[in-house]
Amino acid sequence: MPGGRPLQVIGPRDLAELASGQPAPRDPLAALVGGALHASLLQPNPGTAILEPALAERWEVLDDRVTFHLRSGLTWSDGAPLTAADIVDNLLAARDAGRGRTLVHIAAATAPDDRTVQVILDTAPALCATVSEVASWPIVDQVAGDAAWPPLRTSGEYTVAPLADGWRFAPRPGSLPPLGGWDYHRISDTATGAAWRTGSFDLIVGDGWLHGADPPPGAPGSQAVSLQGRALAVLAFRLNHPLLSDRGLRQAFALGTDPAALWARVYGAPEAPRLTALLSPGHWAAPAEAPGPDLAAARDRLAALGWVDSNGDGVRERNGISLDFEVTLALSGDPRWEALALALSEQWAALGVRLTPRYIEPSTLEEWLHKGYWEVALLAYDVPLDPDQGDLWQPPITGPMAQDVNVIGFDNEEAAKVAVSAARLPGCDPQQRAPLYHEFWRLVHADAPMVFLFPLPQRLFLGPAIAAPPRTGWPERAFAWQPRRNN
């Protein structure tokens, strides 16, 4: 902690939502807060997403039953025992409230003793997405209730108390959390800009307060840092479009899209953490490689399909129809997102394709996607921990959270069969499931329903107290932050 005082942090959202126990942080700080306040039975490895011990020291999946064996000596933040019955109450309350995407599949949950949690699911073998969601669901105090903020007690390593404009987070007695105590202040454009210019805050999260693509100058010694976030940028094709229904045309567009060049152009970094799937790089189910880019091959493929620029206007046509599309995307608080559409348009112009950006409000975009009022779209997917909860495909899910998330119209019977097999593999062992998902992604790449770009970076603004060398301890963690998961 700088100068022995609580770390001063300003951020982009009302963190009270984390009291509800929703495992859905969308930025590094919210992820840190959620993980600090509310522990879970298991926690994903930040690099591979494989579930590892947390409140539970071991677990097993057999048919429709998941058993978690708790560590000894678990307590709430006020020192009271945290028992298996408390965890069961938390999971059933979340299910009954319609939370999560797959908790509806919990048929029963019991606590045979204070250190054992048994969850029985309504399918055998178990739907692995439900196993994952149960394992990583944040444990909150059901006595306090969801609406209580600050929470009266937590299952994590911190207690929280209100400030005039935010909250103070303090380590629970006996814990050794990495950040010590810290104060979180609600964001405003005025406060954020002033804090960055004067260095009065140690950390600012997010850049919605910016009015340009580049951060304004901060106090001497301050530093802006881009981190890999949970939102994944992809380029989607509407597959029932008269032209985009042609797999060969989609493959040409995929080959002609260079994610690394887009990254360097828009985000100013030398290397792009390129996606090979709708999964974070390094995820246990992500394939090692994806085809492309190859501009020459893309041009040859378009020519072989009969698309040529016969009138010299720079746009290919065939039978009187031009390769002229709109790329639809949501207006964003981060101007770099809009700049991505312009950079993509320039790339496609080199293919002989006109791509015109259309920016619309996020709520309107969602409606248009479902109604098919689009051709090509830049989308930011917030993918969950388990791959069979992905938005491109999904095993059948019923209940209050059921929804049609496959807006592109992807329908590949062979790929779906492989995905369902992976999603219901007995025991839900990642090492056994990974080859099935690799085969699934091979089939997806051959179909080219999307171009997988990169994780969208999220920016942190480090004040002089923690950005100036020597950077040790907490500042080092700032470069390694990864959100726990997103539902």
Side-chain angles (χ1 to χ4, degrees):
M1 284 184 300
R5 59 173 173 79
L7 197 73
Q8 300 298 305
V9 179
I10 189 168
R13 61 174 55 204
D14 187 334
L15 292 183
E17 68 182 69
L18 294 172
S20 68
Q22 291 281 13
R26 283 178 167 79
D27 59 66
L29 182 65
L32 182 70
V33 174
L37 289 182
H38 302 307
S40 52
L41 287 163
L42 307 177
Q43 60 185 2
N45 180 289
T48 64
I50 292 178
L51 292 170
E52 298 176 344
L55 295 177
E57 59 185 2
R58 58 188 177 89
W59 66 98
E60 59 264 358
V61 182
L62 181 61
D63 296 327
D64 61 351
R65 190 179 303 265
V66 192
T67 304
F68 301 93
H69 304 276
L70 305 183
R71 294 187 289 107
S72 62
L74 295 179
T75 64
W76 294 98
S77 57
D78 62 1
L82 173 56
T83 67
D86 294 325
I87 295 173
V88 166
D89 289 345
N90 185 85
L91 293 174
L92 293 178
R95 177 202 65 180
D96 295 343
R99 297 254 173 86
R101 298 185 65 173
T102 64
L103 295 185
V104 66
H105 290 289
I106 298 176
T110 62
D113 55 60
D114 282 350
R115 292 185 56 190
T116 306
V117 173
Q118 285 192 344
V119 179
I120 301 174
L121 306 181
D122 63 2
T123 58
L127 184 66
C128 297
T130 308
V131 175
S132 174
E133 193 160 40
V134 167
S136 54
W137 195 263
I139 305 304
V140 300
D141 183 9
Q142 291 301 310
V143 176
D146 291 344
W149 185 265
L152 300 180
R153 62 183 184 182
T154 78
S155 59
E157 298 299 324
Y158 282 79
T159 59
V160 59
L163 298 172
D165 63 347
W167 302 275
R168 168 163 291 176
F169 297 86
R172 58 186 284 189
S175 69
L176 295 173
L179 302 188
W182 45 297
D183 291 352
Y184 181 93
H185 301 261
R186 290 188 181 97
I187 197 169
S188 72
D189 285 352
T190 302
T192 306
W196 176 241
R197 288 189 295 271
T198 63
S200 59
F201 278 77
D202 301 305
L203 172 70
I204 302 172
V205 180
D207 47 9
W209 53 281
L210 295 180
H211 300 290
D214 298 318
S222 58
Q223 184 178 0
V225 179
S226 289
L227 301 178
Q228 177 179 313
R230 284 296 298 177
L232 308 181
V234 298
L235 183 66
F237 307 129
R238 181 165 66 85
L239 303 191
N240 62 357
H241 184 277
L243 297 181
L244 296 173
S245 59
D246 183 342
R247 177 192 292 187
L249 192 62
R250 299 196 304 267
Q251 290 172 337
F253 291 165
L255 283 172
T257 303
D258 187 342
L262 292 173
W263 175 273
R265 167 77 178 277
V266 177
Y267 295 101
E271 294 185 18
R274 187 184 178 195
L275 297 179
T276 57
L278 273 180
L279 298 166
S280 298
H283 191 289
W284 62 264
E289 296 180 356
D294 189 331
L295 182 60
R299 288 171 172 162
D300 290 344
R301 185 160 300 189
L302 290 173
L305 291 171
W307 295 99
V308 295
D309 180 13
S310 59
N311 58 10
D313 66 351
V315 180
R316 296 175 185 261
E317 66 275 341
R318 186 181 71 181
N319 299 329
I321 300 174
S322 298
L323 289 181
D324 192 335
F325 300 96
E326 284 187 335
V327 56
T328 304
L329 67 156
L331 288 165
S332 170
D334 184 345
R336 298 173 297 177
W337 179 243
E338 282 85 353
L340 180 60
L342 295 174
L344 179 67
S345 298
E346 294 182 11
Q347 277 197 5
W348 279 30
L351 295 176
V353 182
R354 180 181 293 118
L355 192 63
T356 304
R358 176 172 63 177
Y359 310 105
I360 58 178
E361 293 294 329
S363 58
T364 304
L365 173 61
E366 183 175 358
E367 177 185 358
W368 286 13
L369 288 172
H370 283 279
K371 292 184 176 180
Y373 300 162
W374 62 287
E375 298 173 328
V376 180
L378 268 174
L379 302 177
Y381 278 85
D382 290 319
V383 295
L385 173 70
D386 211 85
D388 42 73
Q389 294 185 50
D391 286 4
L392 179 60
W393 82 98
Q394 190 167 322
I397 290 178
T398 60
M401 296 302 292
Q403 56 181 320
D404 179 15
V405 294
N406 186 4
V407 296
I408 64 174
F410 182 61
D411 183 14
N412 182 313
E413 184 176 346
E414 186 180 4
K417 182 178 180 179
V418 175
V420 171
S421 297
R424 296 184 181 275
L425 190 72
C428 297
D429 183 350
Q431 290 186 341
Q432 295 179 6
R433 299 171 67 202
L436 290 170
Y437 277 116
H438 295 167
E439 172 62 12
F440 168 82
W441 285 110
R442 185 190 68 79
L443 295 168
V444 171
H445 286 310
D447 231 354
M450 290 181 170
V451 180
F452 308 100
L453 299 177
F454 36 70
L456 289 169
Q458 300 196 342
R459 203 142 47 181
L460 303 183
F461 298 84
L462 308 180
I466 59 175
R471 186 186 296 117
T472 59
W474 181 85
E476 287 183 338
R477 282 187 57 84
F479 290 84
W481 266 351
Q482 292 295 326
R484 294 178 62 195
R485 63 166 299 173
N486 191 23
N487 191 41

